[in-house]
Amino acid sequence: MNVATTIGKVDYDGLIPNNVGLGEDVRVKRALEKWHPGYINWWKDMGPEGFQESLVYLRTAVSVDAKGWAKFDYVRMPDYKWGILLAPQAEGRTIPFGAHAGEAAWQEVPGEYRAMLRRLIVIQGDTEPASVEQQRHLGKTAPSLYDMRNLFQVNVEEGRHLWAMVYLLQKYFGTDGREEAEALLERRSGDADSPRMLGAFNEQTPDWLSFFMFTYFTDRDGKMQLEALAQSGFDPLSRTCRFMLTEEAHHMFVGETGVTRVIQRTCEAMKEAGISDPYDIERVRKLGVIDLPTIQKKANLHFSLTLDLFGNEISTNAANAFHAGLKGRYRETRLADDHKLESSTYPVLRLIDGKIQNEDAPALAALNMRLRDDYVGDANVGVGRWNKVIESFGIPFEIKLPHVAFHRHIGEFSKIKTDIEGKALSDAEWQAKRSDVLPSDADRDFIESLMQPQLEPGKFASWIAPPKVGIDNKPGEFEYVKIA
Ligand SMILES: [Fe+2]
Ligand SMILES: [Fe+2]
């Protein structure tokens, strides 16, 4: 099948919308049609709880070109057109890095790297349904119909990302690909016996501030991983990830603007009440808004959990995947070096004699560290924008990302406890300080008490400001979800 002839055109006639010529690819089409009922069952069991019959104003991808790929309309979520959409094939694309740099990009799986490639696809694929599971209870406490719609948009797109990875497994990996595709529907976030593969995807997303922090911090890990996989020498993976990134951008928008609106509302309420001390927590909370120190604690939690997703600072797997040409660096093609990294080094933050210090490591082994550094830089940009809001109210408070050694469970710093500046603490000191830097039970209870649904069009819960503009430029009172 010549994929290039079908690019850009999305076939909407069959069960599975696609731009990969599925109509002529009988084996894969059948495999996906067989997988489909299990997916719908999973969606109904583990997708958004209680709103499956509601009409949601969602965007659906109708083509993959830069302009107008998104079409907005009311859709019942189980009827959403989960499609298989790859970005256009780049003419004459070569493998951008690793031992095969400069060779023609692979259109089929290179036999010697089959197992490694499958593993990369499965790990990425596993995160997609996991976040839907983590967020399934949130619809019931939506602070507005606008926010509810954004939640569901993120959820259906994570479902589509699962389809994207399952397509690769079914098309390129035969029987074991099919088994992996089944297993992706069987694991469950937080399940004791059959959890999702990565730690942060087994944590709870108990409230809407967590949801915004998750989409800001954890979806941003998704962006970094997709950016690295979009560089892949295996062209179908590269094209899949490039298109997923266009959707991912919206998820991070939801997170960044969500947190901004929470901060905005807190600052407004403080100003109206004449409170200038951000640590006057009890008085601030009485206003029905979330105090800034608690917002900081939530950021500390989600940032540190997300850092664990980058894995060990020094990693043979990461080195092998790069050397093989399967997973590159952030913006690989824009980097000016030999793209092989066989003799270069990279500074890695390590725990040496109990002290946190930089040590040069072979650059290939340090690729997880490098991606994490790029992530931290990217994550700091939005934090700066949050602080601009606080500053505009003249409130003396600044949100800061904690040190990378803070509250870690994987890698160099999992062995120690530190404060948010990265200063080592004894177990007793950590226990004493923990509730100052991470959400306590009381903080959680307070936030939960605010999670009252606001389902009237154009209205917002007490703790969050309205957005500056509506989705698809709709006016403020637009009914984003018609609840059934
Ligand atoms: Fe995703
Ligand atoms: Fe996402």
Side-chain angles (χ1 to χ4, degrees):
M1 187 199 62
N2 184 354
V3 175
T5 58
T6 57
I7 286 313
K9 265 197 274 160
V10 179
D11 169 8
Y12 264 99
D13 299 337
L15 178 67
I16 304 157
N18 71 92
N19 69 346
V20 293
L22 210 53
E24 296 110 64
D25 197 347
V26 178
R27 184 190 65 81
V28 178
K29 185 166 176 261
R30 285 220 184 105
L32 289 170
E33 284 172 355
K34 248 181 112 180
W35 187 79
H36 183 268
Y39 172 81
I40 294 293
N41 284 341
W42 168 80
W43 178 268
K44 288 185 173 164
D45 288 351
M46 297 310 293
E49 197 186 317
F51 296 90
Q52 300 283 347
E53 290 306 309
S54 298
L55 287 168
V56 187
Y57 193 69
L58 293 176
R59 69 173 184 184
T60 304
V62 290
S63 83
V64 292
D65 42 37
K67 271 188 287 177
W69 62 270
K71 183 177 167 292
F72 286 89
D73 205 351
Y74 284 106
V75 184
R76 280 186 188 84
M77 285 185 279
D79 302 332
Y80 181 80
K81 289 279 192 182
W82 281 287
I84 294 158
L85 302 163
L86 274 59
Q89 189 167 353
E91 202 65 44
R93 179 168 180 263
T94 55
I95 299 166
F97 60 90
H100 303 279
E103 296 173 20
W106 297 299
Q107 299 305 326
E108 296 293 334
V109 174
E112 62 201 296
Y113 303 135
R114 193 171 191 277
M116 208 193 308
L117 187 54
R118 190 186 69 204
R119 175 105 188 135
L120 287 171
I121 293 170
V122 168
I123 291 174
Q124 180 61 40
D126 193 67
T127 65
E128 312 290 357
S131 65
V132 176
E133 294 165 2
Q134 288 169 295
Q135 295 161 14
R136 64 186 303 256
H137 303 293
L138 292 173
K140 286 183 288 193
T141 54
S144 71
L145 293 180
Y146 166 90
D147 290 290
M148 184 191 272
R149 178 256 165 231
N150 284 348
L151 166 71
F152 294 160
Q153 182 73 61
V154 170
N155 292 161
V156 294
E157 286 176 354
E158 300 304 4
R160 205 201 66 74
H161 291 176
L162 172 60
W163 273 93
M165 293 297 121
V166 163
Y167 167 72
L168 295 175
L169 290 170
Q170 300 271 24
K171 175 147 175 84
Y172 296 100
F173 292 90
T175 310
D176 37 341
R178 194 166 66 234
E179 283 163 11
E180 295 284 15
E182 293 300 328
L184 283 165
L185 294 177
E186 282 156 18
R187 287 184 288 273
R188 291 284 180 271
S189 176
D191 191 281
D193 301 321
S194 177
R196 292 293 172 185
M197 296 169 86
L198 303 173
F201 290 91
N202 289 301
E203 297 286 332
Q204 290 186 334
T205 311
D207 58 70
W208 276 78
L209 182 54
S210 278
F211 170 66
F212 293 134
M213 291 293 182
F214 186 97
T215 40
Y216 185 77
F217 287 112
T218 309
D219 281 73
R220 190 175 306 275
D221 160 69
K223 167 187 157 176
M224 301 308 287
Q225 303 299 338
L226 291 175
E227 288 272 6
L229 293 172
Q231 305 291 338
S232 184
F234 180 51
D235 208 40
L237 177 61
S238 164
R239 293 171 51 208
T240 300
C241 292
R242 268 155 51 210
F243 186 68
M244 289 163 77
L245 280 163
T246 60
E247 293 166 314
E248 209 55 59
H250 177 67
H251 307 177
M252 284 174 294
F253 162 86
V254 169
E256 184 180 331
T257 56
V259 175
T260 302
R261 291 161 51 216
V262 177
I263 290 173
Q264 168 95 20
R265 185 66 206 113
T266 299
C267 294
E268 280 167 8
M270 286 173 67
K271 195 179 171 194
E272 284 157 21
I275 303 171
S276 53
D277 177 5
Y279 294 95
D280 200 346
I281 289 170
E282 236 172 274
R283 275 180 72 209
V284 173
R285 287 186 176 186
K286 281 204 180 108
L287 305 172
V289 296
I290 305 172
D291 52 284
L292 297 174
T294 297
I295 295 172
Q296 172 73 65
K297 288 190 217 177
K298 282 276 199 183
N300 293 346
L301 176 65
H302 287 270
F303 178 69
S304 59
L305 288 173
T306 302
L307 292 183
D308 283 338
L309 293 172
F310 291 87
N312 285 311
E313 287 82 349
I314 299 293
S315 162
T316 323
N317 283 345
N320 290 342
F322 183 90
H323 187 70
L326 301 181
K327 184 178 177 185
R329 289 170 292 176
Y330 184 53
R331 299 182 170 163
E332 181 72 44
T333 48
R334 294 195 223 166
L335 299 172
D337 58 24
D338 70 354
H339 301 281
K340 291 184 189 269
L341 306 181
E342 278 156 14
S343 52
S344 49
T345 61
Y346 187 84
V348 174
L349 216 49
R350 305 199 71 168
L351 193 62
I352 301 164
D353 302 329
K355 282 205 188 83
I356 297 171
Q357 33 188 304
N358 266 316
E359 184 183 70
D360 279 343
L364 270 177
L367 283 162
N368 284 347
M369 174 77 201
R370 180 172 184 138
L371 194 62
R372 195 186 77 195
D373 282 344
D374 288 332
Y375 167 83
V376 173
D378 201 56
N380 259 312
V381 176
V383 174
R385 288 194 278 257
W386 296 340
N387 286 325
K388 284 254 158 35
V389 175
I390 303 173
E391 206 187 298
S392 74
F393 284 87
I395 296 169
F397 193 89
E398 197 183 333
I399 310 260
K400 283 198 196 98
L401 296 184
H403 192 280
V404 292
F406 170 78
H407 187 238
R408 296 296 307 280
H409 299 90
I410 286 180
E412 282 295 300
F413 309 116
S414 58
K415 303 162 225 153
I416 55 166
K417 303 272 190 286
T418 79
D419 65 11
I420 48 173
E421 268 96 42
K423 191 173 134 292
L425 300 176
S426 70
D427 277 354
E429 287 170 320
W430 165 248
Q431 286 310 331
K433 278 194 178 160
R434 189 190 161 100
S435 65
D436 297 336
V437 286
L438 289 173
S440 65
D441 288 344
D443 296 330
R444 271 187 272 265
D445 289 348
F446 168 69
I447 293 175
E448 209 187 298
S449 76
L450 293 181
M451 296 296 125
Q452 306 298 329
Q454 176 49 274
L455 304 182
E456 223 180 291
K459 293 256 168 78
F460 289 81
S462 67
W463 53 272
I464 189 163
K468 282 207 178 82
V469 279
I471 292 294
D472 194 28
N473 278 317
K474 291 295 172 199
E477 69 282 6
F478 185 73
E479 193 175 5
Y480 288 100
V481 183
K482 295 184 178 174
I483 292 172

PDB file of all heavy atoms in Angstrom, residues 128 131 154 157-158 161 215 218-220 222 226 247-248 251-252, ligand 2:
ATOM      1  N   GLU A 128      -1.898   6.746  27.899  1.00  0.00           N
ATOM      2  CA  GLU A 128      -3.049   7.444  27.309  1.00  0.00           C
ATOM      3  C   GLU A 128      -4.365   7.053  28.002  1.00  0.00           C
ATOM      4  O   GLU A 128      -5.062   7.933  28.515  1.00  0.00           O
ATOM      5  CB  GLU A 128      -3.111   7.184  25.798  1.00  0.00           C
ATOM      6  CG  GLU A 128      -1.772   7.368  25.058  1.00  0.00           C
ATOM      7  CD  GLU A 128      -1.305   8.813  24.963  1.00  0.00           C
ATOM      8  OE1 GLU A 128      -2.049   9.693  25.418  1.00  0.00           O
ATOM      9  OE2 GLU A 128      -0.198   9.060  24.441  1.00  0.00           O
ATOM     10  N   SER A 131      -4.638   8.180  31.953  1.00  0.00           N
ATOM     11  CA  SER A 131      -5.074   9.502  32.418  1.00  0.00           C
ATOM     12  C   SER A 131      -6.598   9.628  32.335  1.00  0.00           C
ATOM     13  O   SER A 131      -7.216  10.307  33.152  1.00  0.00           O
ATOM     14  CB  SER A 131      -4.368  10.616  31.650  1.00  0.00           C
ATOM     15  OG  SER A 131      -4.730  10.592  30.295  1.00  0.00           O
ATOM     16  N   VAL A 154     -10.019  16.600  26.443  1.00  0.00           N
ATOM     17  CA  VAL A 154      -8.749  15.947  26.763  1.00  0.00           C
ATOM     18  C   VAL A 154      -8.959  14.429  26.810  1.00  0.00           C
ATOM     19  O   VAL A 154      -8.184  13.663  26.227  1.00  0.00           O
ATOM     20  CB  VAL A 154      -8.191  16.471  28.111  1.00  0.00           C
ATOM     21  CG1 VAL A 154      -7.001  15.636  28.582  1.00  0.00           C
ATOM     22  CG2 VAL A 154      -7.795  17.944  27.997  1.00  0.00           C
ATOM     23  N   GLU A 157      -9.371  12.776  23.406  1.00  0.00           N
ATOM     24  CA  GLU A 157      -8.111  12.797  22.648  1.00  0.00           C
ATOM     25  C   GLU A 157      -7.087  11.819  23.222  1.00  0.00           C
ATOM     26  O   GLU A 157      -6.312  11.222  22.465  1.00  0.00           O
ATOM     27  CB  GLU A 157      -7.562  14.224  22.565  1.00  0.00           C
ATOM     28  CG  GLU A 157      -8.397  15.036  21.580  1.00  0.00           C
ATOM     29  CD  GLU A 157      -8.020  16.497  21.477  1.00  0.00           C
ATOM     30  OE1 GLU A 157      -7.159  16.963  22.256  1.00  0.00           O
ATOM     31  OE2 GLU A 157      -8.609  17.183  20.623  1.00  0.00           O
ATOM     32  N   GLU A 158      -7.094  11.641  24.543  1.00  0.00           N
ATOM     33  CA  GLU A 158      -6.215  10.603  25.101  1.00  0.00           C
ATOM     34  C   GLU A 158      -6.671   9.239  24.588  1.00  0.00           C
ATOM     35  O   GLU A 158      -5.848   8.366  24.311  1.00  0.00           O
ATOM     36  CB  GLU A 158      -6.200  10.632  26.633  1.00  0.00           C
ATOM     37  CG  GLU A 158      -5.708  11.934  27.279  1.00  0.00           C
ATOM     38  CD  GLU A 158      -4.323  12.401  26.856  1.00  0.00           C
ATOM     39  OE1 GLU A 158      -3.703  11.774  25.975  1.00  0.00           O
ATOM     40  OE2 GLU A 158      -3.853  13.415  27.396  1.00  0.00           O
ATOM     41  N   HIS A 161      -5.229   8.904  21.272  1.00  0.00           N
ATOM     42  CA  HIS A 161      -3.799   8.592  21.345  1.00  0.00           C
ATOM     43  C   HIS A 161      -3.579   7.096  21.588  1.00  0.00           C
ATOM     44  O   HIS A 161      -2.613   6.518  21.100  1.00  0.00           O
ATOM     45  CB  HIS A 161      -3.131   9.423  22.445  1.00  0.00           C
ATOM     46  CG  HIS A 161      -3.076  10.875  22.120  1.00  0.00           C
ATOM     47  ND1 HIS A 161      -2.594  11.824  22.992  1.00  0.00           N
ATOM     48  CD2 HIS A 161      -3.445  11.556  21.000  1.00  0.00           C
ATOM     49  CE1 HIS A 161      -2.673  13.023  22.424  1.00  0.00           C
ATOM     50  NE2 HIS A 161      -3.186  12.882  21.225  1.00  0.00           N
ATOM     51  N   THR A 215      -2.577  18.302  33.853  1.00  0.00           N
ATOM     52  CA  THR A 215      -2.477  18.630  32.429  1.00  0.00           C
ATOM     53  C   THR A 215      -1.320  19.605  32.176  1.00  0.00           C
ATOM     54  O   THR A 215      -0.713  19.568  31.111  1.00  0.00           O
ATOM     55  CB  THR A 215      -3.804  19.207  31.866  1.00  0.00           C
ATOM     56  OG1 THR A 215      -4.375  20.081  32.832  1.00  0.00           O
ATOM     57  CG2 THR A 215      -4.792  18.109  31.546  1.00  0.00           C
ATOM     58  N   THR A 218       2.042  16.920  33.813  1.00  0.00           N
ATOM     59  CA  THR A 218       2.201  15.533  33.343  1.00  0.00           C
ATOM     60  C   THR A 218       1.939  15.413  31.845  1.00  0.00           C
ATOM     61  O   THR A 218       2.647  14.695  31.147  1.00  0.00           O
ATOM     62  CB  THR A 218       1.322  14.590  34.186  1.00  0.00           C
ATOM     63  OG1 THR A 218       1.584  14.849  35.569  1.00  0.00           O
ATOM     64  CG2 THR A 218       1.633  13.137  33.887  1.00  0.00           C
ATOM     65  N   ASP A 219       0.942  16.132  31.335  1.00  0.00           N
ATOM     66  CA  ASP A 219       0.786  16.146  29.873  1.00  0.00           C
ATOM     67  C   ASP A 219       2.020  16.759  29.202  1.00  0.00           C
ATOM     68  O   ASP A 219       2.333  16.436  28.064  1.00  0.00           O
ATOM     69  CB  ASP A 219      -0.480  16.894  29.447  1.00  0.00           C
ATOM     70  CG  ASP A 219      -1.729  16.033  29.627  1.00  0.00           C
ATOM     71  OD1 ASP A 219      -2.132  15.834  30.777  1.00  0.00           O
ATOM     72  OD2 ASP A 219      -2.280  15.539  28.614  1.00  0.00           O
ATOM     73  N   ARG A 220       2.707  17.606  29.921  1.00  0.00           N
ATOM     74  CA  ARG A 220       3.934  18.176  29.356  1.00  0.00           C
ATOM     75  C   ARG A 220       5.053  17.126  29.280  1.00  0.00           C
ATOM     76  O   ARG A 220       5.881  17.162  28.368  1.00  0.00           O
ATOM     77  CB  ARG A 220       4.395  19.388  30.181  1.00  0.00           C
ATOM     78  CG  ARG A 220       5.522  20.185  29.538  1.00  0.00           C
ATOM     79  CD  ARG A 220       5.834  21.426  30.362  1.00  0.00           C
ATOM     80  NE  ARG A 220       4.627  22.202  30.576  1.00  0.00           N
ATOM     81  CZ  ARG A 220       4.156  23.099  29.711  1.00  0.00           C
ATOM     82  NH1 ARG A 220       4.828  23.383  28.626  1.00  0.00           N
ATOM     83  NH2 ARG A 220       3.031  23.734  29.973  1.00  0.00           N
ATOM     84  N   GLY A 222       4.265  14.172  28.557  1.00  0.00           N
ATOM     85  CA  GLY A 222       3.786  13.540  27.323  1.00  0.00           C
ATOM     86  C   GLY A 222       4.319  14.267  26.104  1.00  0.00           C
ATOM     87  O   GLY A 222       4.794  13.653  25.156  1.00  0.00           O
ATOM     88  N   LEU A 226       6.681  12.622  23.316  1.00  0.00           N
ATOM     89  CA  LEU A 226       6.230  12.603  21.922  1.00  0.00           C
ATOM     90  C   LEU A 226       7.213  13.343  21.017  1.00  0.00           C
ATOM     91  O   LEU A 226       7.463  12.927  19.881  1.00  0.00           O
ATOM     92  CB  LEU A 226       4.831  13.236  21.794  1.00  0.00           C
ATOM     93  CG  LEU A 226       3.669  12.458  22.409  1.00  0.00           C
ATOM     94  CD1 LEU A 226       2.385  13.277  22.312  1.00  0.00           C
ATOM     95  CD2 LEU A 226       3.469  11.106  21.731  1.00  0.00           C
ATOM     96  N   GLU A 247      -2.567  17.856  19.261  1.00  0.00           N
ATOM     97  CA  GLU A 247      -3.627  17.715  20.265  1.00  0.00           C
ATOM     98  C   GLU A 247      -3.084  17.988  21.665  1.00  0.00           C
ATOM     99  O   GLU A 247      -3.749  18.604  22.502  1.00  0.00           O
ATOM    100  CB  GLU A 247      -4.221  16.301  20.189  1.00  0.00           C
ATOM    101  CG  GLU A 247      -4.956  16.076  18.891  1.00  0.00           C
ATOM    102  CD  GLU A 247      -5.260  14.608  18.619  1.00  0.00           C
ATOM    103  OE1 GLU A 247      -4.365  13.760  18.794  1.00  0.00           O
ATOM    104  OE2 GLU A 247      -6.371  14.306  18.223  1.00  0.00           O
ATOM    105  N   GLU A 248      -1.873  17.515  21.911  1.00  0.00           N
ATOM    106  CA  GLU A 248      -1.259  17.669  23.235  1.00  0.00           C
ATOM    107  C   GLU A 248      -1.181  19.145  23.629  1.00  0.00           C
ATOM    108  O   GLU A 248      -1.337  19.492  24.800  1.00  0.00           O
ATOM    109  CB  GLU A 248       0.149  17.058  23.194  1.00  0.00           C
ATOM    110  CG  GLU A 248       0.625  16.520  24.514  1.00  0.00           C
ATOM    111  CD  GLU A 248      -0.325  15.496  25.118  1.00  0.00           C
ATOM    112  OE1 GLU A 248      -0.584  14.478  24.478  1.00  0.00           O
ATOM    113  OE2 GLU A 248      -0.806  15.724  26.228  1.00  0.00           O
ATOM    114  N   HIS A 251      -4.037  20.216  25.600  1.00  0.00           N
ATOM    115  CA  HIS A 251      -4.090  19.695  26.967  1.00  0.00           C
ATOM    116  C   HIS A 251      -3.295  20.602  27.903  1.00  0.00           C
ATOM    117  O   HIS A 251      -3.727  20.906  29.009  1.00  0.00           O
ATOM    118  CB  HIS A 251      -3.567  18.258  27.018  1.00  0.00           C
ATOM    119  CG  HIS A 251      -4.255  17.355  26.036  1.00  0.00           C
ATOM    120  ND1 HIS A 251      -3.910  16.043  25.865  1.00  0.00           N
ATOM    121  CD2 HIS A 251      -5.274  17.581  25.163  1.00  0.00           C
ATOM    122  CE1 HIS A 251      -4.694  15.504  24.932  1.00  0.00           C
ATOM    123  NE2 HIS A 251      -5.514  16.414  24.493  1.00  0.00           N
ATOM    124  N   MET A 252      -2.130  21.027  27.422  1.00  0.00           N
ATOM    125  CA  MET A 252      -1.318  21.899  28.269  1.00  0.00           C
ATOM    126  C   MET A 252      -1.922  23.290  28.400  1.00  0.00           C
ATOM    127  O   MET A 252      -1.783  23.941  29.425  1.00  0.00           O
ATOM    128  CB  MET A 252       0.096  21.952  27.737  1.00  0.00           C
ATOM    129  CG  MET A 252       0.818  20.675  28.107  1.00  0.00           C
ATOM    130  SD  MET A 252       2.417  20.586  27.364  1.00  0.00           S
ATOM    131  CE  MET A 252       1.949  20.468  25.687  1.00  0.00           C
TER     132      MET A 252
HETATM  133 FE    FE B   2      -2.405  14.730  26.774  1.00  0.00          FE
END
